[in-house]
Amino acid sequence: MSNPDKQQEYNLIAARLLEHVAQRTTDMADQKMAVPSSSYSDPVRWKQEIETVFKRLPILVGLSGELPDPGSYKTKNMLDVPLLLTRLKDGSVRAMLNACAHRGMQVAEGEGKCDKFVCPYHAWLYGNDGALKRVYGEETYGEVDKAAMSLTQLPVYESGGLIFAVLTPGLEVDFKDFLGGMIEDIENLGFADWHYCGQRVIHGANWKVAYDGYLEGYHFAAAHPKTINQRTYSNIMDFRGYGPHLLIAFPQRNIEKLKEVPENERYKHENDGYDFVRTIFPNTSIFVAPEITQVAQLIPGPTVGENTTILHYIHRHKPETAEETQKLEEMMDWLQEVVQTEDYDLGLKVQGGMASGAFENVTFGRNERGNQYFHRWLDYYLNDDPQRQPPQL
């Protein structure tokens, strides 16, 4: 890492984690926080979250490694929005609505590599930049303003190996301002040059029930006794906020060895004394590990009590042998199993408890500072009050 400010920040985090471990303390909020249980099960609230947050803020739509070469494309459906992602000859990325301007037919499916798309309904031809190139039988259809009938473009931004888009066409956003210091932190990791290993898909409860689990380590001892808790202390965390995004630090059980490391060099010890979870509001969690890196992308729905999570996996190096490939596949399978059985299956039971009306509120403790921060930011965007000040950690 060549960024002196980040080096200093990591050094300070390492020092705080060492202090927390020694004193068995954790980073804490000033007070507890109550969140209405109904906010996890109310379909009106859920639709408001989708329309106001997910369709108006930049959200992760893919990883750069999913479009490795010029001509690469991939189709996705996010919140009932059909997406077409492409990489052009100049290396830039386009995000478009996968809907023909003629009758709305999806012009592409799956993924692959090509420089044009032919609508399977009436054979209109589009370039991979979305430009309408040809109208089949135009002499009988009638003259067409091709520039006005291109595929609908979405605001798109690629940085740090991640691709973000706004699901509302024409909505002006400042990507750099929104992503702020978090994207700078991610850029330092160099994801853009990492190998895309693949993905796994899991299903769980309401998206916030699932996301809450990524924001704290309070549950490690109870929910992950034979996995995460073997590597990482439970209920010891440190938090840094970048706008609505979080850098969450967790001490490994071997962190005391950092006492022998010069204080100004502890920044070098991510995954070797402490780990980070990086969250990108509203629905992305990134965990970097030596074995493999997991990027969890949570998508609400199809109902208020459900979410679909895409677990993307990347690695610093492309495997060179069948054995290395197999090890990565096994690691992806193992992480999928851990998240599904030790987090998401529990989340489904949490969802049932919340929906039962047993308690009016869910309470987040002072030690669950990341959860409090997330819910305050969510309320901030939902209220959309220009006079209201953004939450502070």
Side-chain angles (χ1 to χ4, degrees), residues 52-53 55-59 153-157 165-178 381 384:
T52 305
V53 176
K55 291 189 177 180
R56 299 191 65 82
L57 293 179
I59 63 170
Q153 303 288 322
L154 296 174
V156 65
Y157 177 75
V166 179
L167 299 184
T168 300
L171 185 63
E172 293 291 334
V173 298
D174 187 331
F175 283 97
K176 291 185 177 180
D177 179 69
F178 175 74
Y381 281 113
D384 194 24

Side-chain angles (χ1 to χ4, degrees), residues 297-318:
Q297 177 189 20
L298 284 71
I299 303 170
T303 68
V304 62
E306 300 172 88
N307 92 87
T308 297
T309 296
I310 302 174
L311 301 173
H312 300 271
Y313 294 102
I314 56 177
H315 193 266
R316 295 178 184 274
H317 308 292
K318 183 177 181 178

Side-chain angles (χ1 to χ4, degrees), residues 86-291:
T86 65
R87 190 172 299 282
L88 307 188
K89 289 182 179 180
D90 63 3
S92 64
V93 167
R94 292 287 178 92
M96 301 166 279
L97 295 183
N98 186 12
C100 179
H102 174 215
R103 299 268 282 277
M105 179 65 187
Q106 296 186 12
V107 302
E109 61 180 13
E111 59 185 290
K113 191 173 182 179
C114 69
D115 59 2
K116 59 183 178 295
F117 302 100
V118 179
C119 176
Y121 198 5
H122 294 97
W124 286 29
L125 176 68
Y126 295 89
N128 72 342
D129 60 353
L132 178 59
K133 300 294 188 182
R134 185 197 70 205
V135 173
Y136 170 70
E138 187 172 0
E139 65 279 3
T140 58
Y141 179 86
E143 186 176 348
V144 173
D145 180 354
K146 292 184 176 61
M149 299 288 277
S150 297
L151 298 181
T152 300
Q153 303 288 322
L154 296 174
V156 65
Y157 177 75
E158 182 178 25
S159 183
L162 306 176
I163 303 170
F164 300 87
V166 179
L167 299 184
T168 300
L171 185 63
E172 293 291 334
V173 298
D174 187 331
F175 283 97
K176 291 185 177 180
D177 179 69
F178 175 74
L179 294 167
M182 180 52 69
I183 200 64
E184 294 176 11
D185 185 272
I186 292 170
E187 286 172 343
N188 288 328
L189 296 170
F191 283 171
D193 299 320
W194 290 23
H195 172 68
Y196 187 79
C197 305
Q199 65 182 47
R200 302 290 188 269
V201 179
I202 60 177
H203 301 277
N206 174 276
W207 72 278
K208 298 192 301 294
V209 170
Y211 202 56
D212 279 335
Y214 292 96
L215 300 173
E216 48 90 354
Y218 184 33
H219 70 286
F220 287 174
H224 304 289
K226 296 182 180 180
T227 53
I228 297 174
N229 193 52
Q230 297 295 309
R231 167 192 175 100
T232 307
Y233 282 102
S234 184
N235 199 29
I236 300 179
M237 299 151 279
D238 191 70
F239 300 92
R240 291 289 187 278
Y242 302 95
H245 322 293
L246 280 170
L247 179 68
I248 311 172
F250 301 94
Q252 294 180 357
R253 293 191 177 275
N254 64 358
I255 191 173
E256 290 191 359
K257 71 179 183 180
L258 295 189
K259 293 178 180 179
E260 308 301 321
V261 175
E263 293 183 5
N264 64 347
E265 293 186 5
R266 291 172 178 169
Y267 73 89
K268 301 177 181 178
H269 285 263
E270 180 176 0
N271 298 143
D272 185 27
Y274 57 87
D275 293 306
F276 288 133
V277 166
R278 297 166 171 89
T279 71
I280 302 176
F281 187 89
N283 68 327
T284 299
S285 173
I286 302 171
F287 173 57
V288 178
E291 300 87 357

